[in-house]
Amino acid sequence: MTGWKPVFRAHAPARRLLYSGSLGSVSAQMPKTFFITTAIDYTNSPPHVGHAYEKVLADVITRYRRLKGDNVFFLTGVDQHGQKVQQSAAKAGIAPAEFVKETTQKFVDLWKKLDVQYDEWAETTSDRHKKVVQGILQRLFDEGQVYKDKQSGYYSVRQEQFLTDKERGSDGEFGPEWGEIEFREEENYYFKLSQHKEWLLKFLDNRADAVIPDFRQTELHNAAERITGDLCISRPKSRLDWGIELPFDKDFVTYVWFDALTNYISFAGYTAGEADSLPYNAQPSTFRDKWPALQIIGKDILVPAHGIYWLIMLHAIGFPNDQMPQLLVHGWWNIGGAKMSKSVGNIVDPFVLADKYGADALRYYLMRDITTGKDADFSEERLIERYNADLANSLGNLLNRTLNMAKRYRDGKINPKPKETALTPEQYEKIAEEIRAMGKIPVTTTFPSLSSLVEQAVRLYVGSADNYEVDRGLDVTSRFARFGNQIVDFAEPWSRFKDPNREATLDVVLYELAESLRIIAILISPVMPRAAHGIFDQLIWKMELSGKEERFSLADAEWGRLPDGHVVGKPVPLFPRIEG
Ligand code: MSP
């Protein structure tokens, strides 16, 4: 993706000194954990494809980092409090606690179905979370950063907020998006947000990759310049009681963001409430080993929630600048240009798609057809098109024909690692066009053999995945599968089999194909773990780790690791064609 800069400030596998003895030498080093979080979804309604996208993206990044050998901790969960949930529960005629239990289960079920494997699950009604939220609020209250005030003015019942003149349209009226407007006078608690405005601006000026992609950082900076007032953080219980009670005033609950955002630290081992004021450095090592996180969120909750409230909250409770999280902001899945959402009424049910096409196919489409950071239009036809072109006709076909030929011509045996190559240098150059088309490769670089080409493909893949450009990484793997098929077309193994003078070179072809498949399986494993296992199973490779994530490692994506005389299995269709 053009315009992206390298993003590895906090997340290059940072090393922490474990022990420094009196001799001053480093005795042991332990890699720091790569911590990934997602937004926590509202539990007022079941998940849709937009929610599924974000969690699959986080799961793919998690799996990719593990593929690279990093220790990863992946946190996701649900946002269970608030007005929306209270209203939905009332509508359903059940208590909010019961209502969120049911909806939460739908999210849990979906992540299981889609192979989204998290290490910790955040539920904001849990005691563990409440304790941290209340501890933080008490501390800010004691320090005078939270105060009580009376506000009066026009209030939007639908959007649950006081309106200012900024919200008026050119005709001086509040638009229909605010719903019913009433004049209200209410006491509430406020957090001194504006007091930290200069800090935030300076922080953003000094940290060019606080938000990725970079155009989102610009958007945040502009918004930060406009910070004026403080943040209302409470609701009187008379209006909303489905929330966490303020520790210093029983008549109020805290409203939305203090409750929701805190999950990122409360479920990672942050402690609050045990002592009056816990500095960052006094936090348990289990927490500090993880923090700061790479936080994956949608573009609608960057400003003001994560970019302004959250960063300022962390600063206010004493997180140093080098412990601020990095925000990876994704775009939306739209339907005909409009955001897929419950309120618009255009949601697509991920359960239905996963049942129809399988988890891998849905994951593949969601990662392949959107550029990280941008919007895309969801279309089931596109899903089928992508699946048939990239998976059924290309990768599945390559696997099928390779194993068939190995079985037919060599009884499954991939003979000794050949010295020569299957094709002529000119033919490899022709195949290399698939990879050259991705750009960035100097024309002076030549690809006289398949190993050099595969090395280049892996490099491109890593470069993309390191920058969270998952779609580009998959572009590499689909080109890789295509040039695998081109090898078959050029080499015509069937004619070599019949020609006694060229028969020996048949082994070379089979080796190149089987080895390509082994490497492709590794590269697709973060996005399609089931298919990757399927390929390894059919190659009869690393069977002792069958079904386990450790079966795949980027270090193994090196040409020539398939040993002499390896015997592969029978082909089983991995991606049967979807007939429209
Ligand atoms: N509960 C808050 C977030 C609190 S985080 C401390 C919330 N919930 S949400 O359910 O409305 O959205 C959860 C995430 O899903 C957000 O990151 C949001 O951007 C994402 N998506 C919701 N609809 C989406 C699409 N149509 N497309 C892609 N992602 C979108 O906001």
Side-chain angles (χ1 to χ4, degrees), residues 40-42 48 51 54 79 264 298 300 330 332-333 340:
I40 49 171
D41 302 314
Y42 284 129
H48 59 67
H51 300 120
E54 182 177 281
D79 191 351
Y264 298 134
D300 48 326
H330 64 75
W332 287 340
W333 280 99
M340 186 189 299

Side-chain angles (χ1 to χ4, degrees), residues 38-45 48-55 78-80 84 107 256-257 259-264 295-301 305-306 330-335 338-342 346 370 375-376:
T38 68
I40 49 171
D41 302 314
Y42 284 129
T43 45
N44 59 320
S45 55
H48 59 67
V49 158
H51 300 120
Y53 165 61
E54 182 177 281
K55 276 53 181 183
V78 279
D79 191 351
Q80 297 172 312
K84 288 184 185 190
F107 283 91
V256 182
W257 292 111
D259 178 339
L261 292 163
T262 306
N263 95 85
Y264 298 134
Q295 307 209 255
I296 302 178
I297 55 167
K299 64 177 185 179
D300 48 326
I301 53 173
H306 286 75
H330 64 75
W332 287 340
W333 280 99
N334 294 328
I335 299 273
K339 183 192 181 196
M340 186 189 299
S341 80
K342 171 92 188 307
N346 59 358
I370 193 167
D375 288 2

Side-chain angles (χ1 to χ4, degrees), residues 106-165:
K106 295 194 176 119
F107 283 91
V108 172
D109 292 346
L110 182 64
W111 307 146
K112 190 149 185 245
K113 200 175 192 75
L114 295 184
D115 297 318
V116 170
Q117 276 174 23
Y118 40 85
D119 300 290
E120 189 62 76
W121 178 247
E123 291 190 3
T124 51
T125 53
S126 79
D127 285 342
R128 173 185 185 188
H129 176 68
K130 271 187 204 165
K131 206 169 154 192
V132 175
V133 172
Q134 289 181 329
I136 288 174
L137 286 168
Q138 184 68 54
R139 179 172 152 194
L140 292 175
F141 182 71
D142 293 344
E143 287 173 357
Q145 297 220 48
V146 165
Y147 61 94
K148 197 174 188 183
D149 201 6
K150 188 181 270 175
Q151 192 176 10
S152 54
Y154 291 101
Y155 188 86
S156 154
V157 179
R158 184 200 284 172
Q159 302 292 345
E160 276 283 305
Q161 69 178 77
F162 280 97
L163 303 176
T164 65
D165 284 343

